[in-house]
Amino acid sequence: MKIGLAQVRFPKSAAEGVETVENCMKQAAEEGCNLVCFPESIVPGLRGVGFEVETYNHEIQQNTLYKVKLLAKQLKLNVILPLEWRDELGMHLTAFVIDENGKELGYQTKNQIDPAEDQFGYKPGNSRQLFEINGVKFGIVICHEGWRYPETVRWAAVRGASIVFHPQFTGEVPDPKFYDYAMIARSTENGIYFASVNYALENQKSTTSLLSPKGECLIKAKAEKQELLTYTIEPDEANRLLAQRLLSNLLL
């Protein structure tokens, strides 16, 4: 399966975010990708990271999802679309999965909220979901979860995921090596591919990357550059050896 990881600039508006998504989807389809993944909350943008973000508008979010479904069907492209989303339980950070027929397969909520995001009233989700496209099983963890809650990645790996996608935002940080090593850890401790998708940012220290099941960096975006990374993964190379040996009865 050929995947696309879209390291894009932070949107100045929800409308610009939608335009960015559509343009990258078209590029991914032209390059033969089966699936493309975007950074955390690409529409309307992520709050609390130094950019102005529009007030939440559910109609805009619904229209965004509708447009992406139509384009996914037209392009025959599967999409991981991270959105800010309000449901009956409150406001969430999510990642929708849309298949090549424009069908919504569900969405993964961010279940571990960064303490700095509490001020925005986000509600953590209460479940995880395993997705499957073209016979390839995958999970999704969102930013803070993948960095500091490794069990979120392990959850998908023990259930048969060959790859976990990690939509995120990481700006200018004092300890960039932590993020690079965390990616290596998430892949090697589970024996799976780990695909981390960041924005293109000024003074960027951690960039969009794909790690092999052995922890090798297969592709890595340039700092501050908007680009679509593509790579054909081999799901059979994800042996999930250590994940399968987890003694779940010993978990706290």
Side-chain angles (χ1 to χ4, degrees):
M1 183 168 75
K2 188 173 184 179
I3 63 172
L5 309 179
Q7 179 169 287
V8 297
R9 296 185 183 88
F10 198 96
K12 296 178 181 177
S13 65
E16 184 177 277
V18 174
E19 182 179 1
T20 295
V21 167
E22 291 178 334
N23 289 339
C24 283
M25 286 176 63
K26 292 173 184 175
Q27 182 183 352
E30 289 173 359
E31 297 191 25
C33 292
N34 304 110
L35 180 151
V36 63
C37 180
F38 293 90
E40 182 179 15
S41 193
I42 183 63
V43 180
L46 186 64
R47 302 184 192 279
V49 294
F51 296 89
E52 185 174 343
V53 177
E54 297 172 6
T55 301
Y56 181 84
N57 184 315
H58 194 62
E59 184 177 355
I60 289 176
Q61 299 303 91
Q62 287 178 312
N63 287 340
T64 297
L65 190 57
Y66 177 72
K67 290 178 181 178
V68 172
K69 287 179 180 179
L70 287 181
L71 187 57
K73 184 177 182 179
Q74 177 185 332
L75 298 174
K76 291 298 178 184
L77 178 68
N78 302 284
V79 183
I80 297 175
L81 178 68
L83 296 176
E84 191 176 51
W85 192 258
R86 178 181 288 138
D87 64 14
E88 65 278 5
L89 299 179
M91 186 75 79
H92 302 285
L93 290 165
T94 69
F96 281 81
V97 178
I98 301 159
D99 75 8
E100 63 183 15
N101 297 311
K103 180 182 177 182
E104 180 187 320
L105 301 184
Y107 63 81
Q108 178 61 61
T109 49
K110 188 175 186 177
N111 298 341
Q112 297 291 160
I113 304 298
D114 189 309
E117 294 171 337
D118 287 344
Q119 61 183 307
F120 303 112
Y122 291 124
K123 300 297 182 182
N126 55 18
S127 64
R128 306 210 71 83
Q129 183 172 350
L130 194 69
F131 301 91
E132 184 171 345
I133 286 175
N134 297 339
V136 179
K137 295 180 180 179
F138 63 92
I140 300 171
V141 300
I142 301 175
C143 200
H144 182 68
E145 296 184 311
W147 297 137
R148 294 176 176 84
Y149 293 86
E151 60 271 25
T152 61
V153 179
R154 179 60 56 87
W155 184 94
V158 299
R159 288 163 176 79
S162 299
I163 182 170
V164 168
F165 291 91
H166 180 229
Q168 52 119 336
F169 178 105
T170 302
E172 187 175 6
V173 290
D175 53 347
K177 287 185 178 181
F178 164 80
Y179 299 91
D180 289 338
Y181 287 136
M183 293 185 215
I184 295 171
R186 297 299 88 83
S187 61
T188 57
E189 68 198 5
N190 292 296
I192 61 171
Y193 291 94
F194 187 74
S196 189
V197 188
N198 196 9
Y199 286 93
L201 303 164
E202 290 186 10
N203 302 314
Q204 187 174 5
K205 304 300 181 183
S206 179
T207 67
T208 296
S209 304
L210 174 65
L211 282 292
S212 80
K214 296 180 180 180
E216 305 159 308
C217 186
L218 299 173
I219 49 174
K220 186 176 181 66
K222 296 180 176 63
E224 305 183 16
K225 182 180 179 182
Q226 178 165 299
E227 59 180 316
L228 177 70
L229 299 182
T230 65
Y231 194 89
T232 299
I233 66 169
E234 300 293 342
D236 290 344
E237 292 185 4
N239 60 32
R240 302 185 301 281
L241 176 62
L242 297 180
Q244 292 174 4
R245 291 172 62 86
L246 175 68
L247 297 177
S248 59
N249 62 304
L250 298 181
L251 291 176
L252 296 177

